[in-house]
């Protein structure tokens, strides 16, 4: 299964504090990245990557190489990244997709993990599988694992 994660306020603390806190990153990590990863991110992604393709789908302008390095430093290999530039280029000449902030199925993504109820509504309109995990959710890892296991059983 191809699983994509949003970054801002889903895996990376930006506008809201995570109720679960953030990962204790190495000094080396802190020197090169200002990002604070949500507590549980490393373990969850390392577990999921054993059986699934992991992607990032973000509306941010972070460069693909930067995102891949960020996750490589915690031992996670990403299969793909869709950033704002890639997304905008893809939807530019597709009027039926132009108004969506994310179009996961267009990139072969089976499940999108995000924090935005607006993205959830868009995905429902597109018949895309999405799971919303809010920054305040202490059970976010368990919800993702349950969703992935449930989706695998159905497929």
């Amino acid at each position: 299964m191809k699983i994509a994660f949003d970054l801002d306020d889903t895996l990376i603390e930006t506008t809201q504090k995570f109720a679960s806190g953030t990962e204790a990153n190495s000094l080396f990590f802190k020197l090169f990245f200002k990002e604070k990863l949500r507590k549980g991110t490393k373990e969850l992604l390392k577990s999921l990557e054993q059986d699934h393709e992991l992607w990032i789908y973000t509306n941010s302008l972070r460069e693909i190489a930067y995102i891949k390095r960020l996750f490589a430093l915690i031992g996670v290999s990403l299969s793909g990244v869709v950033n704002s530039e890639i997304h905008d280029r893809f939807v530019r000449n597709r009027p039926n997709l132009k108004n969506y902030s994310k179009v996961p199925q267009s990139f072969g993504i089976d499940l999108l993990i995000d924090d935005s109820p607006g993205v959830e509504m868009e995905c429902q309109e597109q018949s895309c599988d999405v799971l919303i995990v809010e920054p305040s959710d202490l059970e976010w890892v368990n919800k993702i694992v349950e969703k992935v296991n449930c989706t695998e059983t159905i497929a």
Side-chain angles (χ1 to χ4, degrees):
M1 180 184 332
K2 202 182 272 191
I3 304 168
F5 288 84
D6 172 54
L7 289 180
D8 296 327
D9 294 325
T10 301
L11 293 183
I12 294 175
E13 192 172 82
T14 51
T15 64
Q16 299 180 51
K17 295 277 187 198
F18 291 128
S20 58
T22 57
E23 296 277 4
N25 292 311
S26 68
L27 178 59
F28 183 77
F29 185 95
K30 290 177 186 176
L31 287 173
F32 290 97
F33 299 100
K34 64 178 189 260
E35 318 287 8
K36 291 182 180 179
L37 295 173
R38 188 177 198 161
K39 190 170 187 141
T41 297
K42 291 178 193 179
E43 186 178 327
L44 172 66
L45 296 184
K46 285 180 181 184
S47 170
L48 289 175
E49 80 173 332
Q50 294 176 20
D51 298 313
H52 306 284
E53 280 186 48
L54 298 184
W55 282 59
I56 296 297
Y57 198 140
T58 179
N59 291 330
S60 81
L61 295 172
R62 292 178 186 90
E63 292 183 13
I64 292 171
Y66 173 86
I67 294 169
K68 285 188 171 188
R69 281 192 310 271
L70 172 76
F71 286 93
L73 197 55
I74 63 166
V76 174
S77 177
L78 297 175
S79 296
V81 176
V82 179
N83 64 3
S84 182
E85 179 185 346
I86 300 291
H87 171 85
D88 291 346
R89 193 177 326 133
F90 182 82
V91 300
R92 184 175 298 132
N93 296 317
R94 293 173 174 86
N96 58 325
L97 300 177
K98 218 173 188 168
N99 293 327
Y100 292 120
S101 62
K102 294 187 178 168
V103 289
Q105 285 182 325
S106 296
F107 295 95
I109 294 165
D110 300 303
L111 174 63
L112 175 66
I113 313 295
D114 205 292
D115 68 301
S116 169
V119 169
E120 181 179 36
M121 290 180 356
E122 289 180 1
C123 285
Q124 288 171 346
E125 284 178 24
Q126 300 172 67
S127 299
C128 300
D129 203 1
V130 63
L131 176 65
I132 301 302
V133 291
E134 297 175 356
S136 61
D137 193 342
L138 291 171
E139 294 297 317
W140 74 283
V141 170
N142 292 333
K143 285 182 180 176
I144 292 170
V145 170
E146 286 176 22
K147 177 70 172 177
V148 168
N149 289 340
C150 178
T151 302
E152 284 180 330
T153 304
I154 293 170

